[in-house]
Amino acid sequence: MNQTKQSAFFRFALWTCALVTAVVIGGLVIYILAKGLLNIRPSLFSLHYTSENASVFPALVNTMIVLVVSLVMAVPVGVGAAIYLAEYAKTGNIFVRIIRITAETLTGIPSIVYGLFGLLFFVTALKWQFSLLAGCCTLAIMILPVIMRTSEEALLCVPVTYREASFGLGAGKLRTVFKTVLPVAIPGIVNGIVLSVGRIIGETAALLYTAGTVAHIPKNLMGSGRTLAVHLYSLWCEGLRTEQAYATAVVLLLFVILLNFISGKIETAMTKSGMV
């Protein structure tokens, strides 16, 4: 009887937590849409930013550049490190324990710390100045622990019998990892990348100290530029164009939803094609 009551209590608590979370998130989304949709104008998507139109188009392009470059830097390194830790490193290795503890610690460090590191190293020491490249490198370091840990957990969740079956058929270690283990772990790896994408798009503090706040599309990665999140922050801090700030928040929200939808479609396509 006591177990039944405890089970009912835990179910009630879980449902309550889920309901509160849904209400809070739904309320935030509704508030942003109500404030921002009415302020979206064609001028908001002009090719060039001016003090009158507060266009988000340059920031949107810069966001895509930062997103792609950061992922290109971080994903191969993070997934490669995860493969080594999960498949090749010896069990109980002190070096592996240090790497895991360090990665878990880095995931909890505030982004402002990464921004200060990027300012001191990339902007000042390497003399890159405020540039998209400095921002991309800083963000790549920031998301690297997330990708590495989620990818490692995804690889460790693959049943050992898959590996044993592959070895039994005569496959080597490398072929087993890339042909048997890695395809099964792709959904977990994709989830880690999606989390990293969300952090890149919503990052402000680290980019303020590295990429700068120039509201134009730079000619190359060594030029300064602002992303959507930095653009939103700048508009709100100025206090002169709050309507455009709310509209930018809507664009940012829709952009994140679109990227999550695309990533879900990619994962589904991989599953249907037999890769997973």
Side-chain angles (χ1 to χ4, degrees), residues 132-176:
L132 290 184
L133 183 60
C136 292
C137 291
T138 304
L139 291 179
I141 295 174
M142 183 185 303
I143 65 175
L144 183 61
V146 177
I147 294 176
M148 187 186 75
R149 290 295 294 145
T150 53
S151 299
E152 183 187 1
E153 292 299 326
L155 291 168
L156 292 175
C157 288
V158 178
V160 180
T161 53
Y162 283 44
R163 299 173 176 83
E164 294 175 348
S166 179
F167 292 144
L169 293 173
K173 182 69 173 179
L174 187 64
R175 187 176 183 83
T176 298

Side-chain angles (χ1 to χ4, degrees), residues 99-115 141-149 199 203:
I99 292 178
R100 287 173 178 164
I101 294 174
T102 303
E104 291 174 356
T105 303
L106 290 175
T107 56
I109 293 179
S111 58
I112 188 67
V113 177
Y114 288 100
I141 295 174
M142 183 185 303
I143 65 175
L144 183 61
V146 177
I147 294 176
M148 187 186 75
R149 290 295 294 145
R199 187 165 188 183
E203 187 53 51

Side-chain angles (χ1 to χ4, degrees), residues 154 158 162 178-191 263-276:
V158 178
Y162 283 44
F178 284 93
K179 294 294 184 179
T180 303
V181 178
L182 193 59
V184 179
I186 281 180
I189 296 174
V190 171
N191 289 334
S263 62
K265 289 295 182 181
I266 293 175
E267 183 178 340
T268 302
M270 290 180 176
T271 303
K272 290 182 178 180
S273 64
M275 292 183 64
V276 180

